[in-house]
Amino acid sequence: MDNIELRLLRSLIDRKVYLDCVDIFKPESFSEDLEGVAETIQEVHAEFSSGVDLDVVNEYMLTKKVSTTSKKLLMTELISKIEQVEPVEIEVARKFIFNLAKRSLRLEALNALAR
C-alpha cells in the first residue's frame, strides 16, 4: 500500500473532492487491502449527502461489510493509517486517481488478452 493511496482516500472523504473525482474514481484501482475502504467511501457518499468523515466510513464498513473479527481489526487499522496522513488538493487527487484508474484498465486489458 502506497502512502499516496492513503492520502487519496483521505482526500476522497471530503465531498467536494469526491464529487470532482467521481467520474474517474474506481475502488478496484487501489491496492487489495484499500479497495474495500475505497468501496465503502463510494457507498457512504452515495447514501449520505453530508456528514461523511472517517468515523462514519469506519462504522459503515464494520457494520455492513465486514464480518470477521480479524477483518474488522485490519479495516480499523487501515482507517487509522488513513486518518494519520494529510489529504491532497483536488487537482492532485484527480490526477493520481486518473493514473490509478488508467493502470487498472491496462491490467484488465492484459488479463483479458492473457485469457
Side-chain angles (χ1 to χ4, degrees):
M1 130 185 43
D2 292 334
N3 190 40
I4 191 65
E5 287 184 302
L6 296 173
R7 293 183 69 193
L8 289 171
L9 290 174
R10 174 69 188 259
S11 301
L12 287 165
I13 297 296
D14 182 320
R15 185 141 184 99
K16 185 177 178 186
V17 175
Y18 176 78
L19 291 175
D20 194 65
C21 297
V22 71
D23 59 326
I24 57 172
F25 175 58
K26 292 182 171 206
E28 60 272 9
S29 298
F30 289 83
S31 62
E32 187 177 332
D33 289 340
L34 294 176
E35 183 178 348
V37 177
E39 283 177 2
T40 303
I41 290 170
Q42 190 175 48
E43 290 170 14
V44 167
H45 278 298
E47 190 164 327
F48 306 106
S49 62
S50 65
V52 174
D53 61 22
L54 281 170
D55 290 333
V56 171
V57 170
N58 190 44
E59 190 61 30
Y60 187 94
M61 189 170 21
L62 295 180
T63 58
K64 298 208 180 218
K65 298 183 69 89
V66 179
S67 58
T68 65
T69 303
S70 63
K71 190 73 169 172
K72 285 180 181 185
L73 289 172
L74 174 65
M75 291 297 121
T76 301
E77 183 182 316
L78 288 174
I79 293 292
S80 177
K81 285 181 181 180
I82 292 169
E83 207 165 33
Q84 294 173 13
V85 298
E86 290 294 320
V88 295
E89 297 294 324
I90 292 175
E91 183 180 334
V92 175
R94 189 162 178 75
K95 177 69 174 178
F96 276 92
I97 289 170
F98 177 76
N99 288 341
L100 284 174
K102 206 163 61 172
R103 180 181 71 188
S104 179
L105 287 173
R106 279 194 304 261
L107 287 173
E108 286 175 25
L110 287 172
N111 286 335
L113 285 172
R115 281 184 251 136

